[in-house]
Amino acid sequence: MRKAFIDQLTCLAEVDRRIVLLTADLGFGVVEGFAAAHPDRFFNVGVAEQNMVGVATGLASAGLIPFVYSISTFAVLRPYEFLRNGPVLHQLQVRVVGTGAGVEYGHNGTTHFALEDVAVLRALPGIDIVAPADSAQAVNALRCTWDQPGPVYFRLGKNEDVVVPGLDGRFDESGIASLVGPPEGDVLVLALGTSALAALEGRDRVLAVDPSASVSVAVVSRIHAASFLYLADVLARFRRIVVVEAHNRNGGLGSLVAEVACEHGLGLSLTRLSADRFPARTGSQSFLEGQLGIDADAVARAVAAQTAMA
């Protein structure tokens, strides 16, 4: 979805000269279109992510809308203090674009895995976390948020060809889009962004064995200040929740669901499918997701267990 996102950003920059794109020596094969169309608003700052965020803070203070682009771990973790003391503290329109959600950079190893980005950013007040599930939703998410006040983090997947059935690019204020199943009932599978396909495939495997199972799937593509209220409304309609996310167990979507359920007194059962460790080995994305228990097989097992108790 990276290319679709940057292509849309290039189009937006045609109508708003405040848009600036900075990269930390990454994104080649993706960012060239923007650089060619707007050479005076494209800057490669080199392998210097803290400096990139510092420059973006200055540009935003001057009234521009800078987008900073890198692999998610380098875009969020390395310049974290700069994000905190700059865009977040002063509520500036800096947009952090991180690619490679979860373990998508599988063969590059743990240094490239984005398994704690949502957690550390959730700790900062006033930042909008946007995690699209596919390219079409990434484009619509950008259209909806590119000029809003305050900082935004875009958590993008690498795969350009993923299409989530039933999503049709939908993105709105709630950040929650229903994909399949009844709007209320026994089991709801909530997927964070790029985990939507695993959620859908896991549900399909359960229904192939038990067609009478009441299982719904929804994708969460946004976490921001109003998330508690939107989530509470959805969670209240179901008795059992399964969360799947390409993220660590602490601080991600599963943690948010647990917080919302507790604070609103929702008597529901919660199963969290998330990483509880860093992988000991490298490998493909599918291999690592299987090792961490966040793939379609894990969803199917969890949903089957929940429907058996329903």
Side-chain angles (χ1 to χ4, degrees):
M1 66 182 72
R2 301 169 297 174
K3 189 177 187 305
F5 183 93
I6 296 298
D7 287 349
Q8 180 60 45
L9 182 64
T10 303
C11 293
L12 290 172
E14 293 284 352
V15 297
D16 193 331
R17 289 194 55 79
R18 295 176 300 166
I19 293 176
V20 179
L21 177 61
L22 298 86
T23 179
D25 211 29
L26 286 167
F28 302 105
V30 176
V31 299
E32 286 87 350
F34 188 100
H38 312 291
D40 58 330
R41 288 181 278 153
F42 174 77
F43 303 95
N44 183 354
V45 304
V47 185
E49 291 83 2
Q50 289 180 333
N51 184 52
M52 179 170 66
V53 173
V55 170
T57 299
L59 293 172
S61 297
L64 299 176
I65 305 178
F67 286 71
V68 298
Y69 180 100
S70 188
I71 294 173
S72 290
T73 49
F74 308 144
V76 173
L77 300 183
R78 188 170 292 168
Y80 186 72
E81 181 186 13
F82 280 61
L83 289 169
R84 174 188 182 273
N85 294 341
V88 173
L89 182 61
H90 301 284
Q91 282 298 288
L92 297 171
Q93 289 180 301
V94 172
R95 281 72 174 102
V96 179
V97 183
T99 68
V103 292
E104 291 189 4
Y105 281 97
H107 292 286
N108 293 89
T110 306
T111 56
H112 287 57
F113 297 163
L115 291 171
E116 58 279 279
D117 52 335
V118 173
V120 298
L121 291 179
R122 277 193 63 212
L124 298 177
I127 187 167
D128 195 344
I129 300 170
V130 176
D134 62 15
S135 293
Q137 192 182 49
V139 168
N140 284 333
L142 178 59
R143 289 172 178 164
C144 291
T145 59
W146 68 273
D147 63 344
Q148 71 179 34
V152 180
Y153 170 52
F154 296 98
R155 188 182 201 245
L156 303 183
K158 288 174 57 185
N159 195 326
E160 305 292 342
D161 300 322
V162 169
V163 177
V164 176
L167 183 56
D168 301 321
R170 284 176 290 131
F171 181 87
D172 59 24
E173 175 68 16
S174 73
I176 306 172
S178 296
L179 299 179
V180 293
E184 59 184 33
D186 292 333
V187 180
L188 171 66
V189 183
L190 276 179
L192 176 63
T194 54
S195 295
L197 285 181
L200 288 170
E201 186 175 339
R203 173 189 183 269
D204 289 345
R205 293 181 186 181
V206 171
L207 292 182
V209 176
D210 181 9
S212 66
S214 174
V215 184
S216 301
V217 176
V219 59
V220 176
S221 54
R222 191 176 199 177
I223 297 175
H224 60 146
S227 294
F228 272 59
L229 294 177
Y230 292 123
L231 266 177
D233 180 62
V234 173
L235 297 176
R237 305 174 198 165
F238 296 87
R239 294 187 294 168
R240 302 180 183 278
I241 308 296
V242 175
V243 172
V244 57
E245 55 185 328
H247 190 274
N248 279 339
R249 184 174 300 273
N250 297 326
L253 177 60
S255 290
L256 178 60
V257 169
E259 294 167 25
V260 171
C262 183
E263 291 192 6
H264 287 80
L266 303 177
L268 52 82
S269 170
L270 172 62
T271 299
R272 294 188 290 166
L273 303 179
S274 48
D276 58 1
R277 65 191 185 282
F278 288 117
R281 302 160 64 186
T282 61
S284 67
Q285 178 186 348
S286 60
F287 169 78
L288 292 171
E289 290 179 346
Q291 292 290 298
L292 293 173
I294 56 174
D295 61 354
D297 287 340
V299 173
R301 290 191 298 269
V303 170
Q306 292 297 326
T307 54
M309 294 184 291

